[in-house]
């Protein structure tokens, strides 16, 4: 099907697509008028555009194709918000965006024609937004009567580079979350699979076109523009890490650049929404913030023309940049939900895995790192003589299966039951152990009651 | 014929030669334009007028055959329109959505606090509405009401999304059905300035823009204009003319405002970003209220943006509508649809009563004497023409069990042809969207809406020489005009809401979150997205979602036929639309765009309450 575009005879191609010569000449006429040329120029234009409904196939602008697959159009929407430069400058002065369902003037067959001709000419950037759907042999996603899987393979064969915009294109995104109903998969994993099966042949150098993964949900337009600048102005592709993500953009943890980091260091946490702590802008780690385990530049480039970002809105980071292009099951939703919890049931292949197993098994390294990182503060001596949060930290570190912050509630419960709870300023080991035990017994009572209700 | 369209053949190159334009220019300049000076525009003083109803479409064409638009461009998602054309008009039509994702199954078993974050990712254009509908469903399940300040904050972020969506839709998506930016290359700058002045719309640096366009054109690469339909024939009353009718000067003005609109919609999303952290996909709306803390700095950031947007909409968006409309009178003559309208209501008032929302809930149809209250139990979904194993009877979403199933005989026009289900209310198809909201608000007597629609109808009546009722709004033009009236209404309200929030905070009303009382229950969130009535439903036990169900506005609009063979609203609207060129059915595209369909949202399965999954499905698509 897609190879039909490689025929030599343009007329034959048009005819195959049900386009008559007359239609084509009319189209050229439209272009001539559009360009402000006289009708006498029409035959010349027709000659010049014989190969093209996209105008010249190359020139001052880098040709580009923007595919929308199983997407919410959020990445296109996001791109429309950028101002450095704005999207009009991008499509008029930087790239020739010959195919973009949401932005193109054309529709239907003529739009498809624009895509085919761009692909045939080669030398274009391929932007892909949304997951690829493999469900029902690729029929879960059909555009213009073609399977999404065929479209991606076809468009990738001749691309200079592929930019996977947003976490869905990187690893399937939320659609790939358990039970992955439509068979969502990321572009890199799909193309590697096709290559291994001998179904994909890249026309450029190497086995696959360079793939640049740009996760977060949606993709941050600042990052897309950064890549465009690299490609168009500097004339190279950005340096990539093992996940084919630009090192400069995805090299540091959100936590490390978070403006609320100081509160973390001081042990000042938000334990619930609508609280005094929230109003003071304390650290959201206790609310399940995934900043410490998510690498992205959100706190630095921010969003929507730099007005804010997630943590500044008072919500914990939900780790939408955590996309593993080699493994669909490690999509960010599955990895991080429940978003307000420190640990979670992780459905793997349909089985709910015990959180304790996660804590001590798969996630042990992460947990250990967090415990060391988050709770190793006592020795630093930043808080002389111990502080209110020392007890909570101690309790938290002993209870990896509980949400951070449970200790405070547990202490309350213990006091309510008349169990002696040491005062905060007494941070001796004995006192902490006693408090921990008191909190333990209080929580286990609570848990029993909960169990009874069910 | 394309060849006949040269700049000198354009209907007019100077404003003084077009009665319609000059008439509009004198009557249409909204008083709100004065708001550029900083005064608060009295929204009711911004008259909304539009083009007269056109003469009935002449069927002079002999064109017959199939006409297919796939992909439909400049919308959200993947939509296919398949039409049977007879004698130059659409005789029958099949509308189908081409993507299956399965949100309900992904949500099942997760926590209700995760649902707003995950479910809003159905749609990058209206994520705020999904987040809110999901939050409302959870709040109803938990039996809690959000604090007053949280209510206002949600109204503001929802309003910011409405403005972003409507402005982007009109200028950056729909406008290219009417405006040919490349034609602007031949515009005379002095005439353009004069025309903008006469039309009462915003001036711009037209010369620089034209130079920029010339630079672009000299590249010879067409970019987003690749494969355009600018040369297509009209096929309407005067079938020899080109479908793109604007004089080059007006094309230049509209192109300048296309670029301005990109700025303004981004400014609107900045408000969403300030409150929600980022847009698309906000963070701040959670079941129980909001995480956003309204500090003085943030409130100030919101207020000045709200005023900027309101002033721009009044000074630019409505005058542009009026200047362009006279060139496309045919558009008022088709695209009626089913003539029945549903609205679940949006923008909560202090009373929290959906019927008293700033855009209230209600059911109304042409010919009805009054608005009926919404009865959730009358909502049903049918799947006799969709890729599901049909239960035979229409079912309410709360008890909905529909299992996706690929038809053994394959998809066909006579059988099953879409993934989209057929929602019905009391057994009838209903249209959702801005027009529906405005007609319900009109009939519930919201002063601003009533005043503006009455002015519009008076204008239409004058032009048509007959007394026209609201039925006149049932058209592709009416749908477009209604959305633009709504834009001004919401833009005006945004400033009021921000001031309301500031007053509330000053008065010590700083509570923004309500703790859930329990973690079991079931409830629905009936709300509105920019595209219309939005429904989320969830059943929760022990803080886990047992069942989740979503009915999206576009599900109503792009609905297939039901068991009685009754078409959905968009299908019905397309019947009778003129087609001059089977490959570029421009009027059909305009009509599809007037619904602002959002297709990624629209395809949904019912939650398999029985634990059934849809592994039996072999292929979700394939209308041949």
């Amino acid at each position: 099907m897609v190879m039909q575009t490689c025929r030599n005879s343009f007329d034959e191609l048009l005819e195959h697509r049900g386009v008559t010569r007359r239609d084509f000449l009319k189209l050229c006429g439209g272009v001539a008028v559009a360009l402000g040329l006289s009708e006498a120029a029409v035959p010349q234009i027709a000659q010049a555009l014989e190969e093209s409904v996209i105008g010249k196939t190359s020139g001052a602008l880098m040709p580009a194709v923007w595919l929308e697959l199983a997407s919410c159009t959020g990445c296109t929407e996001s791109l429309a918000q950028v101002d450095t430069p704005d999207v009009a400058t991008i499509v008029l002065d930087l790239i020739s965006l010959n195919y973009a369902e949401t932005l193109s003037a054309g529709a239907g067959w003529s739009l498809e024609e624009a895509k085919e001709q761009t692909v045939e000419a080669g030398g274009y950037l391929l932007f892909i937004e949304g997951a690829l759907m493999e469900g029902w042999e690729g029929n879960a996603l059909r555009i213009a009567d073609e399977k999404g899987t065929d479209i991606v393979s076809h468009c990738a064969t001749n691309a200079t580079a592929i930019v996977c915009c947003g976490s869905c294109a990187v690893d399937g995104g939320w659609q790939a979350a358990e039970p992955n109903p439509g068979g969502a998969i990321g572009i890199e994993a799909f193309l590697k699979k096709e290559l291994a099966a001998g179904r994909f042949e890249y026309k450029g150098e190497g086995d696959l076109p360079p793939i640049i993964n740009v996760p977060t949900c949606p993709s941050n337009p600042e990052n897309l523009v950064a890549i465009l600048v690299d490609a168009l102005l500097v004339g190279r592709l950005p340096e990539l890490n093992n996940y084919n993500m630009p090192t400069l953009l995805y090299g540091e943890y959100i936590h490390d650049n978070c403006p609320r980091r100081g509160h973390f260091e001081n042990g000042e946490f938000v334990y619930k929404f609508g609280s005094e702590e929230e109003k003071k802008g304390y650290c959201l780690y206790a609310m399940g913030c995934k900043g410490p385990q998510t690498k992205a530049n959100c706190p630095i480039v921010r969003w929507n023309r730099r007005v804010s970002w997630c943590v500044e809105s008072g919500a914990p980071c939900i780790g939408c940049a955590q996309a593993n292009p080699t493994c669909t099951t490690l999509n960010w939703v599955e990895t991080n939900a429940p978003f307000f919890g420190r640990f979670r049931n992780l459905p793997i292949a349909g089985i709910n895995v015990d959180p304790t197993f996660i804590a001590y098994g798969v996630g042990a390294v992460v947990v250990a790192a967090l415990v060391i990182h988050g709770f190793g503060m006592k020795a630093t001596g930043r808080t002389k003589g111990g502080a209110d949060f020392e007890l909570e930290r101690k309790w938290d570190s002993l209870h990896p299966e509980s949400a951070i912050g449970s200790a405070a509630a547990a202490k309350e419960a213990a006091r309510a039951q008349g169990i002696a709870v040491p005062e905060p300023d007494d941070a001796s080991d004995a006192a902490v152990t006693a408090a921990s035990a008191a909190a333990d017994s209080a929580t286990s009572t609570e848990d029993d009651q909960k169990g009874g209700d069910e | 014929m394309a060849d006949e369209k040269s700049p000198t053949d354009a209907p007019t190159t100077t404003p003084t030669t077009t009665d319609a334009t000059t008439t509009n220019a004198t009557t249409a300049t909204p008083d709100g334009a004065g708001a550029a000076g900083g005064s608060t525009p009295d929204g009711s003083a911004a008259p909304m007028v539009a083009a007269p109803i056109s003469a009935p479409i002449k069927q002079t064409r002999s064109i017959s055959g199939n006409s297919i638009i796939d992909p439909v461009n400049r919308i959200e998602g993947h939509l296919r329109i398949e039409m049977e054309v007879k004698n130059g008009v659409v005789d029958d039509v099949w509308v189908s959505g081409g993507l299956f994702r399965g949100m309900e199954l992904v949500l099942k078993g997760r926590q209700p606090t995760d649902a707003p974050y995950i479910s809003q990712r159905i749609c990058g254009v209206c994520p705020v509405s999904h987040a809110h509908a999901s939050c409302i469903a959870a709040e109803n399940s938990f039996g809690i009401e959000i604090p007053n300040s949280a209510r206002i904050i949600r109204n503001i972020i929802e309003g910011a999304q409405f403005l972003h969506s409507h402005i982007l839709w009109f200028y950056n998506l729909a406008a290219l059905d009417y405006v040919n930016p490349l034609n602007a290359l031949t515009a005379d700058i002095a005439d353009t300035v004069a025309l903008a002045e006469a039309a009462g719309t915003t001036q711009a640096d037209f010369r620089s823009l034209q130079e920029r366009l010339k630079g672009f054109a000299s590249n010879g690469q067409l970019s987003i204009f690749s494969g355009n339909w600018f040369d297509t024939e009209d096929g309407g009353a005067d079938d020899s003319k080109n479908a793109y009718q604007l004089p080059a000067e007006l094309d230049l003005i509209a192109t300048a405002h296309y670029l301005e609109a990109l700025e303004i919609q981004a400014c609107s999303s900045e408000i969403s970003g300030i409150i929600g952290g980022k847009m698309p996909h906000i963070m701040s709306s959670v079941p129980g209220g909001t995480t956003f803390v309204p500090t003085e700095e943030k409130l100030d950031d919101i207020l000045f943006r709200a005023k900027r947007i309101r002033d721009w909409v009044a000074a630019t968006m409505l005058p542009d509508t009026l200047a362009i409309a006279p060139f496309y009178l045919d558009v008022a003559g088709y695209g009626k649809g089913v003539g029945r309208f549903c609205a679940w209501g949006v923008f909560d008032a202090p009373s929290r009563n959906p019927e008293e929302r700033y855009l209230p809930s209600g059911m109304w149809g042409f010919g009805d004497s009054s608005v009926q209250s919404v009865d959730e139990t009358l909502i049903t979904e049918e799947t006799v023409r969709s890729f599901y194993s049909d239960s035979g009877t229409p079912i309410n979403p709360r008890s909905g069990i529909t299992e996706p199933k690929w038809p053994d005989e394959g998809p066909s026009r006579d059988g099953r042809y879409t993934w989209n289900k057929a929602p019905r209310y009391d057994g009838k198809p209903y249209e959702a969207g801005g027009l529906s909201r405005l007609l319900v608000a009109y009939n519930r007597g919201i002063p601003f809406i009533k005043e503006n629609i009455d002015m519009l109808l008076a204008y239409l009546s004058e032009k048509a020489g007959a007394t026209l009722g609201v039925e006149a709004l049932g058209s592709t033009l009416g749908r477009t005009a209604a959305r633009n009236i709504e834009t001004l209404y919401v833009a005006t309200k945004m400033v009021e809401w921000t001031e309301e929030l500031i007053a509330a905070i000053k008065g010590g009303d700083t509570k923004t979150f309500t703790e859930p009382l329990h973690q079991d229950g079931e409830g629905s969130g009936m709300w509105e997205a920019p595209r219309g009535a939005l429904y989320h439903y969830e059943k929760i036990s022990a803080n886990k979602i047992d069942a989740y169900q979503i009915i999206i506005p576009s599900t109503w609009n792009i609905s297939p036929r039901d068991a009685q063979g009754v078409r959905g609203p968009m299908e019905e609207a397309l019947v009778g639309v003129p087609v001059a060129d089977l490959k570029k059915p421009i009027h059909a595209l305009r009509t599809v765009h007037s619904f602002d369909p959002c297709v990624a949202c629209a395809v949904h399965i019912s939650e398999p309450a029985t634990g059934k999954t849809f592994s039996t499905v072999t292929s979700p698509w394939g209308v041949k």
Side-chain angles (χ1 to χ4, degrees), chain A residues 18 39 77 110 136 142 312, chain B residues 3 164 220 227 298 583 617 621:
Chain A
E39 286 174 35
E77 279 279 336
S110 63
W136 310 290
R142 288 187 74 100
E312 192 168 317
Chain B
D3 294 355
H164 151 80
K298 299 280 184 193
K583 296 195 175 58
V617 181
W621 173 268

Side-chain angles (χ1 to χ4, degrees), chain A residues 84-85 94 223-236:
Chain A
T84 54
L94 287 176
N223 291 346
L224 294 182
V225 167
I227 291 164
L228 268 182
V229 166
D230 265 353
L232 302 180
L233 301 184
V234 188
R236 54 145 207 226

Side-chain angles (χ1 to χ4, degrees), chain B residues 104-411:
Chain B
E104 287 90 340
L105 288 177
V106 170
L107 287 173
K108 199 178 174 208
R110 298 186 194 275
Q111 294 187 2
T113 46
D114 291 343
Y117 287 141
I118 301 176
S119 69
Q120 67 179 298
R121 283 167 166 85
I122 287 176
C123 179
V125 187
C126 48
V128 178
S129 307
H130 284 283
H132 286 166
S134 183
C135 285
I136 296 167
E139 285 146 10
N140 285 338
S141 304
F142 296 154
I144 52 174
E145 188 172 85
I146 63 172
N148 188 51
S149 289
R151 172 189 68 82
I152 306 169
I153 290 167
R154 283 195 189 173
N155 281 351
I156 295 170
I157 192 170
E158 184 76 51
Q161 176 202 249
F162 265 65
L163 295 177
H164 151 80
S165 178
H166 284 1
I167 293 167
L168 187 83
W169 172 82
F170 182 65
Y171 279 100
N172 307 114
L173 303 183
L176 288 173
D177 291 348
Y178 305 93
V179 175
N180 176 358
L182 299 183
N183 192 38
L185 288 165
T186 59
D188 179 89
I189 299 300
D191 286 350
T192 306
V193 171
L195 180 60
E197 180 63 25
T201 192
T202 325
Q203 297 285 354
D205 185 353
F206 298 119
R207 189 176 302 280
S208 294
L209 173 61
Q210 197 179 42
E211 289 304 314
R212 189 179 183 191
L213 289 173
K214 280 179 181 164
F216 169 75
S218 70
N219 284 336
Q221 293 170 287
L222 286 178
S223 195
I224 59 167
F225 306 116
S226 293
N228 63 66
W229 291 12
F230 294 152
D231 66 327
T232 192
E233 290 167 34
D234 188 78
D238 175 8
D239 61 12
S240 65
K241 71 180 181 184
N242 187 283
Y244 284 77
Q245 282 288 299
L246 297 188
E249 287 71 21
L250 196 43
D251 276 327
L252 185 56
I253 292 171
T255 305
H257 295 165
Y258 175 105
L259 299 179
E260 271 181 30
L262 278 175
E263 285 300 302
I264 299 297
Q265 60 85 27
C267 177
S268 196
S269 278
E270 283 170 36
I271 296 179
S272 305
I274 290 164
I275 296 176
K278 71 187 198 322
M279 173 76 188
H281 305 325
I282 60 161
M283 298 297 298
S284 60
S285 289
V286 292
T290 175
T291 68
F292 173 69
V293 178
T295 61
E296 291 87 340
E297 184 199 0
K298 299 280 184 193
L299 289 170
D300 175 56
D301 285 354
I302 295 167
L303 186 60
F304 95 78
R305 284 179 173 85
K307 286 183 174 172
R308 180 184 173 203
I309 297 163
R310 176 199 62 190
D311 296 349
W312 185 85
V313 169
T316 310
M317 193 166 177
L318 295 187
D320 281 355
T321 311
L322 303 172
I324 293 170
F327 294 94
Y328 294 104
L329 303 182
D330 290 2
V331 181
Y334 55 75
K336 178 170 183 258
V338 294
R340 275 181 303 275
F341 305 92
C342 63
W344 303 159
V346 65
F347 304 120
D348 241 343
S351 73
R352 316 297 174 99
N353 179 352
E355 295 185 2
E356 291 170 10
R357 285 174 177 167
Y358 292 102
L359 285 167
S361 70
M363 313 296 294
W364 190 79
F366 289 139
D368 290 1
S369 55
S370 63
V371 176
Q372 301 297 309
S373 295
V374 174
D375 180 353
E376 190 185 333
T377 61
L378 293 179
I379 301 171
T380 55
E381 290 192 292
E382 299 184 23
T383 56
V384 288
R385 305 301 291 274
S386 320
F387 305 145
Y388 300 84
S389 63
D390 183 42
S391 61
T393 45
I395 43 177
N396 184 269
R398 285 201 180 211
S399 57
I401 303 167
T402 45
E403 190 184 0
K405 184 181 184 301
W406 187 247
D408 297 333
E409 69 280 11

Side-chain angles (χ1 to χ4, degrees), chain A residues 20 60 65 74 109-110 114 117 127 130 142 163 195 210 254-255 274 277 279 309 315 320 345 354 397 423 437 443 452:
Chain A
T20 64
V65 169
W109 75 269
S110 63
Q117 292 179 2
F127 293 90
R142 288 187 74 100
V163 182
L195 182 70
I254 284 173
H255 186 60
E277 288 79 10
K279 288 189 171 43
W309 68 295
C320 70
N345 281 343
D354 187 276
S397 66
E423 287 311 305
T443 16

Side-chain angles (χ1 to χ4, degrees), chain A residues 5 10 13 51-58 61-66 95-100 104 110-127 154-160 203, chain B residues 221-224 226-227:
Chain A
T5 55
F10 186 63
L13 169 71
E51 296 295 328
S52 175
V53 298
I54 57 177
K56 277 160 59 184
T57 51
S58 64
L61 311 182
M62 177 81 169
V65 169
W66 182 294
I95 61 173
S96 182
L97 189 57
N98 296 343
Y99 183 93
S104 286
S110 63
L111 185 57
E112 287 301 302
E113 197 58 48
K115 182 180 75 190
E116 292 306 324
Q117 292 179 2
T118 309
V119 169
E120 191 175 3
Y124 53 92
L125 285 176
L126 176 60
F127 293 90
H154 173 56
C155 290
T157 50
N158 220 359
T160 298
K203 291 183 183 170
Chain B
Q221 293 170 287
L222 286 178
S223 195
I224 59 167
S226 293

